[in-house]
Each structure stands twice: as C-alpha cells, then as structure tokens.
Amino acid sequence: MSLSVKHLLGIKELQPGDIQTIFRTADNFKQVLQRQIKKVPTLRDTTIANIFFENSTRTRISFELAEKRLSADVVNFSASGSSVSKGETLIDTVHNILAMKVDMIVMRHSASGAPWFLSNHTDASIINAGDGINEHPTQALLDAFSIRERLGELKGKRIAIIGDIMHSRVALSNIYCLGKLGAEVMVAGPPTLIPKHIEKMGVKVEYDVKKALKWCEVANVLRIQLERQHKPLFSTLREYSLYYGINKQMLDDLQKEVLIMHPGPINRGVELNSDVADSKQSIILNQVENGVAIRMAVIYLLSGKRELE
Ligand code: CP
C-alpha cells in the first residue's frame, strides 16, 4: 500500500492504481470516522503545516480535521496577517516553516504551478490543496470516491461537468481522475467558458445543459469563478442562470435520477437552485464528509507509515 509519487501535486501524475489505493485506504478511514472515537495514533510523530495563500472553507477545515484524526501536530498559516505582506517570498516562507521541524506541507495558492515550484525547493512532501486554475487533486479524489460510493466502480459511468470549465481546477482534476478510472466525461456550459480543443483530453463537449443532463448519470455543477475572469465572458449572472442554471423542473422532466454534485461554495440561484442543491438527488454534503477520509488516506500514504490501525 504505497503511492508512485512523493507529493500529491496533481491527478495528472497519478497512476490509476494510486487512485484505487487511495480509495481503499479511504474506505478504512471512513470506518474509523463512524466510530465513537474517530481518531487513530498513526501520525503522532508527524507535524503538518497547512499554508493557505487563498481563501478556503471546506478544504482547509477538511485537511485540518484529517490531520487531527490521524493524531498529527498541525500548524495553520494564512497569507493575510503574515510576513508575506512585508515582501517575504514563497520559498523563504516555506523554508522558515520547515526549519521548525515540519514534515509535510498542504498548500493552496492562487498561482497555477506553485506546488510544483515548491516541490523543487524542499524535501518535505507537498500536497496541493488547489493551485490557481490548474488542479485541485483531493477534490477530484473525493468527488470520484463519492460517485463510487453511490454507483459502484467508475468505469463506463457518464459524468457531466457543468459550468465554468475554463477557470476551474476542479474540472481539470476531475477530467484526469475520471478518465484514469474509465468513466465517460462530458463538459457543458457556455462556449466562452469551455476551453478550445478540450475534446483532445477525451471529453465530450455540449453547450445545451438540458442535453447534458439527459446524457449523464452524474452532474458535477461548478461555480462561476468571477474572481478569475478578467473580462466578461457572459452578459449577466441572471442570464447565465436562465440558460445554464439547474432547477428541479429540469431534473423532473428527465424521468430518471441524476446525482447532483457541487464542490462548493454554491452560488444558490445561479448555477444551482436551492430546490436542487437541497434535494434527495444532491450528494453535496456527502462529498464534504468523504473529503476527510480521502485526505486522511492521502496524508497517511504520503507519510510512508505502514501500520494502519
Ligand atoms: N471545494 C473547495 O475547494 O472549497 P473551498 O474553497 O471552501 O476550500
């Protein structure tokens, strides 16, 4: 039970067998998380720093909980309130944290490629918690794990990723992950939010959301990332919602059950109406729950510890 990589920088670098190893390990940790005492002593001699240069709710809390459930010592760093505002570089920041005998770094950064850059300048294992518009590997792992939990193995399953594909690290990591697991993937949304030539990654492209819903068994719906759009790519959020937002009536018209996923944060009334986000078809909070077990698995496997208790 080990991974072919030293760091988790992206899904692109993982072998399909790595993903299956992470899933099997997460199955074990999910059982631990159902117990009254939701903690194992496995990483009691390990210190992990969560360094976040960009905002987060789910990923940050989920990593911290995962680390604490493994009995690791945890330190949290936010760029706001740090010496970054005084001009300290990323490498200096991380070398100073590591000098305090930290073993592993979990990093979120707005610059695509930042975790790769860091991995060339340190011996500690790096886990990418989201870098710019590039990858968000643990999100894709928890998404695929959540689909597997509901529908069984991913091979041949039809998954539509709907919304702002262009600016989404979740979309890219999902495309890699689902492809490696043998799922069929479609991306859907306005043409201005779908990268040109994306079909070369082996995905189908659809601009009509109703047709995408008709095709898929699972719809993973993404937020419009206005903070990453430097010029308008559609008229208004109201118009986006009218043409690409998903409401309960659209799902009822399908006469089949489509699982609804969303990585969060949801912009209710834009990409998803509340009657969908809070419906029985939605597994959004199951994704969040599974995130802790997936992150425990990734941290455990990268730590090199070999006794799963
Ligand atoms: N899914 C996700 O990355 O959410 P946060 O930005 O809240 O971490």
Side-chain angles (χ1 to χ4, degrees):
M1 290 270 278
S2 62
L3 300 181
S4 66
V5 290
K6 179 183 175 193
H7 311 278
L8 180 61
L9 301 176
I11 300 290
K12 192 177 179 185
E13 288 79 19
L14 294 184
Q15 301 296 324
D18 291 325
I19 300 173
Q20 297 295 358
T21 299
I22 292 168
F23 285 177
R24 282 195 298 276
T25 310
D27 287 334
N28 287 329
F29 283 129
K30 189 145 184 196
Q31 283 177 23
V32 170
L33 294 171
Q34 314 295 333
R35 294 184 199 151
Q36 203 174 357
I37 298 171
K38 303 172 179 52
K39 201 162 174 164
V40 288
T42 318
L43 295 194
R44 68 196 147 208
D45 56 353
T46 303
T47 304
I48 304 175
N50 302 311
I51 61 171
F52 278 65
F53 293 84
E54 198 187 69
N55 294 343
S56 170
T57 297
R58 279 146 292 271
T59 311
R60 185 182 185 133
I61 292 175
S62 180
F63 266 112
E64 186 172 345
L65 261 179
E67 291 150 5
K68 288 181 170 167
R69 301 291 193 220
L70 289 166
S71 300
D73 290 323
V74 179
V75 284
N76 291 305
F77 165 93
S78 295
S80 61
S82 77
S83 291
V84 169
S85 64
K86 300 175 199 164
E88 190 161 38
T89 66
L90 173 61
I91 290 181
D92 281 341
T93 301
V94 172
H95 279 164
N96 277 273
I97 291 170
L98 291 173
M100 295 181 239
K101 306 290 177 227
V102 165
D103 303 296
M104 198 180 279
I105 298 277
V106 174
M107 182 171 82
R108 169 168 288 192
H109 204 287
S110 57
S112 299
W116 276 259
F117 174 72
L118 199 58
S119 70
N120 288 327
H121 290 88
T122 169
D123 288 334
S125 277
I126 311 288
I127 300 177
N128 180 3
D131 66 315
I133 60 167
N134 185 44
E135 282 229 39
H136 192 347
T138 54
Q139 181 69 47
L141 290 166
L142 74 88
D143 288 346
F145 184 80
S146 301
I147 298 170
R148 169 183 173 268
E149 194 171 67
R150 292 299 176 114
L151 302 183
E153 289 306 323
L154 275 280
K155 192 169 170 50
K157 299 290 183 305
R158 292 191 306 278
I159 323 292
I161 307 171
I162 300 175
D164 184 353
I165 310 300
M166 178 87 81
H167 302 97
S168 174
R169 54 198 177 205
V170 175
L172 190 58
S173 285
N174 261 270
I175 290 169
Y176 286 133
C177 189
L178 296 169
K180 285 173 196 271
L181 294 172
E184 288 186 54
V185 182
M186 174 183 279
V187 294
T192 49
L193 293 180
I194 296 186
K196 279 182 190 161
H197 311 303
I198 195 168
E199 61 278 3
K200 288 187 178 157
M201 294 189 75
V203 302
K204 298 179 199 312
V205 177
E206 177 59 66
Y207 302 118
D208 181 333
V209 167
K210 284 186 183 167
K211 284 186 185 164
L213 288 172
K214 209 167 172 183
W215 173 84
C216 71
E217 294 159 81
V218 180
N220 196 352
V221 186
L222 306 178
R223 176 176 71 88
I224 296 292
Q225 307 215 7
L226 287 175
E227 74 276 22
R228 300 192 205 278
Q229 294 184 19
H230 303 302
K231 53 185 180 200
L233 292 168
F234 54 89
S235 312
T236 60
L237 281 179
R238 188 163 174 275
E239 188 180 277
Y240 180 88
S241 165
L242 268 175
Y243 287 97
Y244 298 99
I246 298 175
N247 59 51
K248 188 76 168 58
Q249 189 59 55
M250 289 161 78
L251 296 187
D252 290 346
D253 289 347
L254 295 172
Q255 296 177 332
K256 64 168 184 173
E257 184 128 326
V258 170
L259 283 187
I260 298 294
M261 303 174 69
H262 194 300
I266 304 170
N267 286 153
R268 286 174 183 260
V270 181
E271 69 271 11
L272 270 189
N273 274 11
S274 287
D275 57 7
V276 176
D278 303 329
S279 70
K280 286 203 174 84
Q281 285 169 251
S282 162
I283 60 165
I284 294 169
L285 292 178
N286 301 93
Q287 291 171 256
V288 177
E289 179 186 345
N290 286 334
V292 179
I294 282 288
R295 290 176 175 121
M296 286 173 81
V298 167
I299 293 165
Y300 166 75
L301 289 164
L302 289 179
S303 75
K305 301 277 186 242
R306 288 293 159 262
E307 80 295 353
L308 190 48
E309 295 168 62

